Amino acid sequence: ISWAISSYWLHLYKKDYLSYGRCIITAGLTMLLSATSTYFIGFIAFSRVVLAITLVMTALITATWRMLLHLMYRYRTFVRTPLFGRRAVILGTGKESMRIGALLSHTPSFHFTLIGYIDNDNVSGTDQFIGRLENIHGIVRNQHINEIIIPEKWASISKLIRFIQDLKDLKIIFKLVPEGQKMLIGKGAVENLSGIPLMDIEFPLFDKFHQIIKRIFDLILSSLLILLTFPIHLYYLLLGKKYDQSIWSVDGQHIHLYRYQSKIKVIQDLPLLFIIIAGDMSFVGTQIIDITKKDPMMIMKPGLTGLLHLTSSNIQPDVFRDYEKYYAMHYSLVFDIEIIFKSILRL
């Protein structure tokens, strides 16, 4: 179990399945988790020496065969394999996609191969057009594609998220080419290939494991706060001191909620704890926007607090989208807790 948890967090069996360094780190983290667990679960206490020997052997075995593969590939002792080659496609056939492709086609990196372009239509009439987006699953499998390069202009953030979620079963690495100098929206290292900045693109917020963790956190914290503030709820509900409101949610949907009639903002928002339990909101999310305003096309649930709550309320739509994108790409439970504490300090 400790190995499974460690390898999952380090992506050992996803995009870094040939990383011998991550095998050693995974073994070390497994050692810490396994040794620590014996203090909480006494009946599985086992010899520390046996545990250490086992994990050292595991680290050596799992890392050694990966190192051998790298050495065999480097010195060409067997035919080159797609495991090491970067077989990439570019989304779109517009001017930006063609510009990126022209530069990447002349990259000096021997292990990078641009297979072609995928789009709904061959807008530019290129000979390297290899298929339509609706057939991308088959193209990726048949052409042994392991990397997809996406110009930032190619799609909106919501479309990009749906696209990545749809292909998550293919174990594909996604690279984003940012527009202009917008280099700070991702959390991964930026690779420069033939003058093209390629950023690893991931949205942990929409990963099923992280969604479960976030939901559990919301349920526990909101339930605890409802119990602690129960007399306040009872007072306002019995006196009927509340008003209704409808707000925007994901995909243009509406959420109906109510707030307490109070001059204190914290008390006004207490009924939102019930909306969080129902799953329509989260503790940390995007802004709460009334339906009388234009649909903001949210990519995540509105939240009691969030990055946007910590800024000025009057922000431009493009800035609004950048904040959402930043949160989706940097999400972690620790990040949520940090945002909540910053929100409390602002009260």
Side-chain angles (χ1 to χ4, degrees):
I1 293 173
S2 297
W3 179 274
I5 294 172
S6 303
S7 60
Y8 178 86
W9 281 106
L10 292 170
H11 303 287
L12 181 59
Y13 297 113
K14 192 177 181 183
K15 64 178 183 179
D16 295 306
Y17 49 86
L18 289 178
S19 172
Y20 45 85
R22 286 180 182 264
C23 292
I24 298 172
I25 297 173
T26 299
L29 185 56
T30 301
M31 175 74 178
L32 292 175
L33 290 175
S34 301
T36 304
S37 64
T38 60
Y39 291 100
F40 300 98
I41 312 174
F43 68 88
I44 63 167
F46 32 68
S47 169
R48 300 292 193 280
V49 177
V50 172
L51 178 62
I53 293 174
T54 302
L55 288 173
V56 167
M57 291 177 62
T58 302
L60 289 175
I61 293 171
T62 55
T64 299
W65 71 262
R66 288 171 167 86
M67 293 173 66
L68 288 174
L69 279 180
H70 279 279
L71 290 172
M72 293 171 69
Y73 174 71
R74 178 178 298 177
Y75 295 105
R76 301 296 190 273
T77 54
F78 65 91
V79 180
R80 291 180 65 177
T81 167
L83 284 175
F84 297 92
R86 294 173 62 178
R87 295 175 60 83
V89 294
I90 298 176
L91 294 187
T93 52
K95 290 182 179 180
E96 179 65 7
S97 297
M98 300 308 297
R99 182 188 72 84
I100 294 169
L103 291 172
L104 292 180
S105 296
H106 299 92
T107 178
S109 178
F110 68 88
H111 62 286
F112 182 89
T113 305
L114 179 61
I115 304 302
Y117 303 84
I118 300 176
D119 202 354
N120 286 323
D121 295 293
N122 189 2
V123 178
S124 63
T126 175
D127 294 334
Q128 289 185 282
F129 182 72
I130 59 174
R132 298 170 63 84
L133 283 170
E134 61 190 34
N135 302 318
I136 192 167
H137 285 82
I139 294 171
V140 168
R141 292 191 178 97
N142 295 333
Q143 299 285 344
H144 303 291
I145 306 299
N146 50 28
E147 190 167 313
I148 295 180
I149 298 172
I150 309 171
E152 189 175 8
K153 288 183 177 179
W154 177 75
S156 64
I157 182 64
S158 56
K159 181 179 177 181
L160 182 59
I161 291 170
R162 287 194 297 268
F163 176 78
I164 293 175
Q165 289 295 103
D166 189 45
L167 296 183
K168 63 182 179 181
D169 60 312
L170 296 178
K171 305 276 190 289
I172 295 291
I173 296 175
F174 297 94
K175 297 283 187 176
L176 182 72
V177 180
E179 178 184 355
Q181 299 299 316
K182 294 169 65 177
M183 303 290 291
L184 300 178
I185 58 174
K187 66 176 179 178
V190 178
E191 174 190 14
N192 193 294
L193 204 61
S194 292
I196 298 294
L198 300 175
M199 296 169 43
D200 287 333
I201 177 170
E202 293 181 351
F203 293 101
L205 177 64
F206 304 102
D207 181 82
K208 184 175 290 186
F209 176 79
H210 287 102
Q211 286 181 334
I212 292 173
I213 294 297
K214 187 175 179 65
R215 181 68 180 133
I216 292 173
F217 176 75
D218 282 345
L219 286 171
I220 292 175
L221 186 56
S222 56
S223 299
L224 180 62
L225 290 176
I226 287 173
L227 288 175
L228 292 174
T229 59
F230 183 75
I232 300 176
H233 291 288
L234 194 61
Y235 169 79
Y236 279 92
L237 289 173
L238 288 176
L239 294 180
K241 291 187 174 183
K242 60 185 180 67
Y243 64 93
D244 296 336
Q245 184 183 11
S246 293
I247 62 173
W248 289 107
S249 185
V250 181
D251 296 327
Q253 296 180 357
H254 297 170
I255 297 176
H256 185 74
L257 51 85
Y258 64 92
R259 297 176 189 252
Y260 294 144
Q261 294 174 350
S262 172
K263 295 180 180 180
I264 304 174
K265 182 68 167 59
V266 175
I267 294 180
Q268 286 180 10
D269 291 342
L270 283 180
L272 301 183
L273 295 173
F274 296 100
I275 309 300
I276 293 174
I277 286 183
D280 293 327
M281 287 182 62
S282 179
F283 257 101
V284 180
T286 191
Q287 276 191 325
I288 298 174
I289 300 177
D290 196 272
I291 58 169
T292 56
K293 297 182 180 180
K294 184 181 178 181
D295 182 6
M297 295 182 289
M298 296 175 175
I299 63 172
M300 57 187 179
K301 297 176 183 178
L304 196 59
T305 185
L307 285 178
L308 285 160
H309 298 68
L310 298 176
T311 63
S312 172
S313 57
N314 297 318
I315 59 175
Q316 298 300 317
D318 56 337
V319 178
F320 178 92
R321 191 66 62 230
D322 284 343
Y323 272 84
E324 283 193 323
K325 188 188 300 183
Y326 184 90
Y327 177 74
M329 297 179 75
H330 289 75
Y331 168 76
S332 68
L333 181 58
V334 175
F335 192 31
D336 267 6
I337 294 173
E338 181 183 358
I339 291 173
I340 290 173
F341 273 112
K342 285 184 178 180
S343 300
I344 294 173
L345 293 176
R346 285 169 58 93
L347 295 177

